[in-house]
Amino acid sequence: MIKYLGSKRRLVPVLGELFAGSGARTGLDLFTGTTRVAQEMCRRGMDVTAVDTASYSEVLAQCYVEADADTVDAAEVAGALDRLACLEPVRGYVTEVFCERSRYFQPRNGMRIDAVRQGIDDLYGDSPLRSLLLTSLLRAADAVDSTVGVQMAYLKEWSRRSARELVLRPPVLTPGAGRAVRADAASVVDDLPHVDVAYLDPPYNKHRYFANYHVWETLVRWDRPEPYGVAAKRADCRDAVSRSVFNGRRTMPAALAETVRRVRADTVVLSFSDEGYVALPDLVEMCRARGQDVRTLSFESDRYVGAKIGIHNRAGEKVGSVGRLRNVEHLVLAGDGDRLDAMVARVAALQEA
Ligand SMILES: C[S@@+](CC[C@H](N)C(=O)[O-])C[C@H]1O[C@@H](n2cnc3c(N)ncnc32)[C@H](O)[C@@H]1O
């Protein structure tokens, strides 16, 4: 899966046990990002709706949540990827903006990304395979990028992985046909169907996903925006419309409280980092406002790799000290007390195993 700030890679087994312990058959992943958690819901046999504002998340959700592993023809996917992989490299937008003007990819790979991306529109624009092919390209590009996992900057020296060849691999699909929804969680929350369990993993501080992953946004939209600044970001990164209410220190707590209160689910699982704008007691209060029982679980984990490398100026000199290297991810559960206890017991059993 692509490198992503706040991705719940390590928490997925825990979340899977929580979902199973709740007995849920329907699930909502309201800030789905990479779709990792939604995929786990699918693997647990749930009917899943995945929501995010990002275009790349929508494509990932169309691939991993909407497409059904049991009905997609694997040979057809493999054939399409082979066809795209054979296209003649071209010097297009990616090469010019993300390899020459900035340095996210080595030009050799940038030219292949250009050819494959245009090929997807030309050859598979109306195909049901489109989201699978785009997902394959996103993952292939992520595997040869030259960043520490965010696209606000690229490395001064090429990363070792950027020298590798771009390889298109078939995505590993999940069973069941769910729904991908590209929408603002705060606006859409009342329109979503009632579910057994809703998972909420909102942004927890000022770091905006739209700007941090502008390369993926552009690669999916393929709208060739005017780039600006050293990071060659999309011009619309500066627009108010690309800002999330969940990234504002003043706007986030009320928006989150409202969303938690309104989401239509028997059980809510709310993820939040101890580095976020809202402290654990306030998260508990937000969940209590649903009129349900509440339990909390906390997990310590490594911070993202950029935190370990430290803070550098444009010349690559260290200008700040390395902050703390571990953070705590809180899970606040709201629902029927007996059901929550059964969920927590599954996690305890997992940790003892
Ligand atoms: C912490 S990340 C979620 C990570 C995800 N659970 C994973 O494992 O990949 C937060 C996500 O919220 C999305 N987001 C930001 N503002 C949003 C909004 N107003 N409505 C819906 N999604 C939003 C971001 O695009 C980002 O993908």
Side-chain angles (χ1 to χ4, degrees), residues 4 6-8 31-34 52-53 183-185 201-203 209 244 246:
Y4 205 59
S7 169
K8 295 299 168 291
F31 300 86
T32 197
T34 60
D52 203 288
T53 41
D184 167 25
D201 183 21
Y209 285 83
S244 170
F246 294 96

Side-chain angles (χ1 to χ4, degrees), residues 79-96:
L81 290 174
D82 281 350
R83 188 174 179 198
L84 291 167
C86 291
L87 293 173
E88 195 60 36
V90 288
R91 181 175 171 274
Y93 183 93
V94 170
T95 315
E96 285 171 30

Side-chain angles (χ1 to χ4, degrees), residues 1 4-9 12 15 29-37 51-54 56-57 183-187 199-204 208-210 243-247 271:
M1 190 41 72
Y4 205 59
L5 264 185
S7 169
K8 295 299 168 291
R9 184 166 58 93
V12 161
L15 292 167
D29 184 6
L30 195 52
F31 300 86
T32 197
T34 60
T35 73
R36 267 180 207 285
V37 178
V51 179
D52 203 288
T53 41
Y56 53 82
S57 290
D184 167 25
S187 314
Y199 176 65
L200 275 62
D201 183 21
Y204 53 84
R208 296 165 54 214
Y209 285 83
F210 190 80
R243 294 180 188 278
S244 170
V245 71
F246 294 96
N247 286 128
S271 264

Side-chain angles (χ1 to χ4, degrees), residues 259-272:
T259 307
V260 169
R261 193 177 64 76
R262 283 170 25 202
V263 68
R264 299 197 292 144
D266 290 344
T267 306
V268 168
V269 179
L270 171 63
S271 264
F272 213 75

Side-chain angles (χ1 to χ4, degrees), residues 46-68:
M46 296 161 68
D47 178 57
V48 182
T49 302
V51 179
D52 203 288
T53 41
S55 304
Y56 53 82
S57 290
E58 183 184 30
V59 158
L60 294 173
Q62 287 166 344
C63 168
Y64 291 115
V65 177
E66 275 188 3
D68 181 349

Side-chain angles (χ1 to χ4, degrees), residues 9-27:
R9 184 166 58 93
R10 291 205 187 81
L11 268 189
V12 161
V14 168
L15 292 167
E17 287 306 302
L18 286 174
F19 301 148
S22 77
R25 300 175 67 98
T26 55

